[in-house]
Amino acid sequence: MTSTHTVSLQDVEAQTTEWLENVVIGLNLCPFAAKPQRNKQIKIEVCEGNTDEAVMETLLTELNLLESSDVADLETTLLVTPNYFQDFDDYNQFLDVADMIIEQFGWRGIYQIASFHPDYCFADAEPDDESNLTNRSPYPVFHLIREASIEKALKYYGGDADAIPDINIDRVCSLSNDEKKALFPYLFRTHG
């Protein structure tokens, strides 16, 4: 459902940061996110555009910024689109466009995109399945990741990296209703 109220840039950044800190890091859904957040190496870029072209332009700008930045200054970017891709299917289809951009500019194996959306739904899950919470964010988010950073983090990761998705699903499915409402307030808002 599309919301009719507009949200300020600061609110979008604040809600995305809260989700990053309380859900992604707080629930340890990404065991590699805490250090770059602590070191201020995660950029939240809000694209206020509402067309494919505007998002493609911002995506390309942010990938070029990653390309020209030292990893010590910029580890990763969360590209947030609060005014576009409210429909998960539209968002999901655009991921193919984002993947084509990575391919076209020779970044395959250098960058990858992780996807998060308020209505995220895994291909093998029902929309109301709790497992989808692992990828539900306050707004549509394209997480631009350096593959070398993942490889480096996995080298030092003490656990089984292949088990992370299942561990995350178990974690979100074990949350109480009150915990879900506190961590995912945007999923419980009433639309008027």
Side-chain angles (χ1 to χ4, degrees):
M1 178 177 250
T2 303
S3 177
T4 54
H5 70 285
T6 56
V7 181
S8 76
L9 189 66
Q10 293 79 14
D11 285 345
V12 173
E13 288 178 9
Q15 290 172 31
T16 303
T17 300
E18 185 177 318
W19 164 76
L20 174 64
E21 292 178 349
N22 295 340
V23 176
V24 177
I25 295 171
L27 295 177
N28 201 29
L29 298 183
C30 176
F32 319 120
K35 184 178 178 189
Q37 177 66 357
R38 196 171 44 247
N39 294 339
K40 301 188 182 331
Q41 297 166 297
I42 299 176
K43 179 181 182 191
I44 296 174
E45 178 63 27
V46 179
C47 173
E48 296 183 89
N50 59 4
T51 65
D52 282 8
E53 292 75 21
V55 176
M56 280 191 292
E57 188 177 310
T58 305
L59 178 66
L60 192 51
T61 297
E62 294 308 313
L63 285 164
N64 276 310
L65 183 61
L66 279 173
E67 184 76 1
S68 65
S69 298
D70 189 279
V71 70
D73 298 320
L74 179 61
E75 175 79 42
T76 190
T77 301
L78 299 175
L79 173 56
V80 187
T81 61
N83 302 322
Y84 201 49
F85 296 126
Q86 278 77 22
D87 181 84
F88 177 67
D89 290 333
D90 292 343
Y91 169 86
N92 206 25
Q93 288 178 10
F94 186 83
L95 288 170
D96 290 337
V97 173
D99 201 44
M100 286 185 334
I101 290 171
I102 287 177
E103 185 73 41
Q104 180 181 350
F105 285 86
W107 289 325
R108 172 90 43 235
I110 299 170
Y111 303 110
Q112 64 177 261
I113 299 176
S115 52
F116 301 91
H117 190 280
D119 297 319
Y120 195 95
C121 184
F122 288 106
D124 58 348
E126 292 297 319
D128 60 353
D129 192 309
E130 291 180 332
S131 66
N132 295 316
L133 290 174
T134 63
N135 287 61
R136 291 215 169 152
S137 54
Y139 302 98
V141 173
F142 299 90
H143 180 195
L144 313 181
I145 306 168
R146 296 175 187 265
E147 290 204 7
S149 296
I150 293 174
E151 291 166 15
K152 183 178 177 185
L154 287 173
K155 230 187 275 185
Y156 297 101
Y157 179 63
D160 176 9
D162 292 335
I164 291 173
D166 291 332
I167 291 167
N168 290 347
I169 289 169
D170 289 345
R171 187 169 291 123
V172 297
C173 289
S174 71
L175 295 170
S176 70
N177 283 335
D178 287 342
E179 288 171 321
K180 288 175 194 161
K181 286 179 182 175
L183 292 168
F184 303 95
Y186 46 90
L187 299 178
F188 296 92
R189 288 188 195 124
T190 56
H191 298 283

